[in-house]
Amino acid sequence: MSEEPGEFTGSELLRAAGRVRKPEPRVLAGARAALWSAIAGELLGTGPGSERPAVAGRETESGGAARRRQAGPPQGAREVPAGGGDPRG
Amino acid sequence: MEPDGVLIERSARGCPDAFVEVARRHEVAIHGYLARRAGRQAADDLLAEVWVRAFSARGGYDAGYGDARPWLYGIARNVLREHWRTSSPGEPAAPAETWADPWDGVNDRLDSAEEARAVASAVRALPAAEREVLLLVAWEQLSPAEAALVLGVPQGTARSRLHRARAALRRVLSERDADEAGVST
């Protein structure tokens, strides 16, 4: 099945509709600062991720709700099926 | 360059700051995803939440997936859903139609208002599930297989949704072009 974005009518219009300006550097830096804060919290044993890390690809009992919801690529959105509908399509 | 999966695994095994490189690699793309769907201001606010959640969830990441984008888009998708829920607490629950409708800013992003209307109406007419796959591929430049990971659906499902969405869009835009040709002759 040929499914490259450029191969169907309207693809350029569609891509143009999705064009957005790059974020300001300060926005990216601010988001990274929040990440650093979480990292520091873990290193100091005070953050939400400060419990013993799980082996990649596996879950732990102590992982917390966020980890259970969002562990690994296939589970990134498993909490919410596509469009809120039936995940089986 | 080390794959994202290696960095994430390392960050989960005693070197948490390795995760920052993953964020650096994908921050513009994830911000763009958020901005296209919720607006620039909301994207500015929500990006940090995506990183904190991803960092918190990294222990369960399967390092066999070298590219973390589908996983990160999936987390961003959930962050967006919560954003919509909390920003419109009194609204009736219609998340599938509400959160997946990223068209508010489209008029500003296309040169021609007429083009914007045509594309927006064609895509709006799609079922939400088909629209979401289409936009993940067209806007985020994901493959159908990667879009399937984001959405947590089988690859075949994502492919068939994409196929239907493209066929519908092609049909609508072709009809529009034919109408315009008829008017101009």
Side-chain angles (χ1 to χ4, degrees), chain A residues 3 14 17 19 42 77 80 83, chain B residues 58 77 96 109 139 150 166:
Chain A
E3 293 184 334
L14 191 55
R19 209 176 290 138
E42 181 170 303
V80 182
Chain B
R58 76 196 190 286
R77 182 173 181 258
R109 299 201 292 260
W139 284 359
V150 174
R166 283 176 169 169

Side-chain angles (χ1 to χ4, degrees), chain A residues 10-33:
Chain A
S11 64
E12 288 190 10
L13 280 176
L14 191 55
R15 274 201 296 274
R19 209 176 290 138
V20 291
R21 278 185 295 129
K22 282 189 174 179
E24 301 284 340
R26 63 173 175 75
V27 170
L28 302 178
R32 268 185 258 125

Side-chain angles (χ1 to χ4, degrees), chain A residues 1-24 26-32 34-36 38-40 42-43 48-49 51 53-59 63 66-89, chain B residues 9 11-13 16-17 19-20 23-24 27-28 31-32 35-36 40 44 47-48 51-53 55-63 65 71 74-75 77-78 81-82 96 103 106 109-110 115 119 123 128-129 132 134-135 137-139 141 144 149-154 157 159 161-163 166 169-170 173-174:
Chain A
M1 187 183 302
S2 62
E3 293 184 334
E4 291 306 310
E7 292 182 3
F8 79 107
T9 306
S11 64
E12 288 190 10
L13 280 176
L14 191 55
R15 274 201 296 274
R19 209 176 290 138
V20 291
R21 278 185 295 129
K22 282 189 174 179
E24 301 284 340
R26 63 173 175 75
V27 170
L28 302 178
R32 268 185 258 125
L35 175 58
W36 276 113
I39 291 169
E42 181 170 303
L43 289 172
E51 69 271 21
V55 175
R58 293 186 181 178
E59 299 292 339
R67 177 171 296 173
R68 282 192 294 275
R69 283 199 306 270
Q70 298 175 333
Q75 297 165 332
R78 185 172 292 165
E79 178 192 12
V80 182
D86 186 345
R88 295 164 299 181
Chain B
E9 186 173 39
S11 78
R13 292 175 181 267
D17 56 335
F19 199 86
V20 176
R24 282 186 186 278
E27 58 193 3
V28 172
H31 184 278
R36 280 184 278 274
R40 194 175 172 82
D44 290 354
L47 184 61
W51 296 143
V52 171
R53 286 199 197 189
F55 179 73
S56 175
R58 76 196 190 286
Y61 187 85
D62 183 345
Y65 291 91
W71 178 61
I75 292 171
R77 182 173 181 258
N78 287 339
R81 285 187 61 90
E82 289 185 20
W103 293 99
V106 163
R109 299 201 292 260
L110 284 178
E115 284 182 339
V119 173
V123 177
E132 197 169 14
L134 178 71
L135 296 183
V137 172
W139 284 359
Q141 299 292 296
L149 288 175
V150 174
L151 302 172
V153 300
T157 301
R159 286 182 187 279
R161 287 177 184 172
L162 181 63
H163 183 71
R166 283 176 169 169
L169 198 59
R170 186 187 300 124
L173 293 175
S174 300

Side-chain angles (χ1 to χ4, degrees), chain B residues 78-163:
Chain B
N78 287 339
V79 168
L80 268 180
R81 285 187 61 90
E82 289 185 20
H83 167 73
W84 290 122
R85 264 201 301 268
T86 56
S87 60
S88 308
E91 295 293 315
E97 292 301 325
T98 304
W99 89 273
D101 190 347
W103 293 99
D104 286 349
V106 163
N107 280 329
D108 299 331
R109 299 201 292 260
L110 284 178
D111 295 333
S112 156
E114 187 184 344
E115 284 182 339
R117 276 195 297 275
V119 173
S121 63
V123 177
R124 268 200 177 111
L126 297 172
E130 293 178 12
R131 183 171 60 219
E132 197 169 14
V133 176
L134 178 71
L135 296 183
L136 283 170
V137 172
W139 284 359
E140 316 309 330
Q141 299 292 296
L142 296 182
S143 68
E146 290 169 331
L149 288 175
V150 174
L151 302 172
V153 300
Q155 287 188 23
T157 301
R159 286 182 187 279
S160 60
R161 287 177 184 172
L162 181 63
H163 183 71

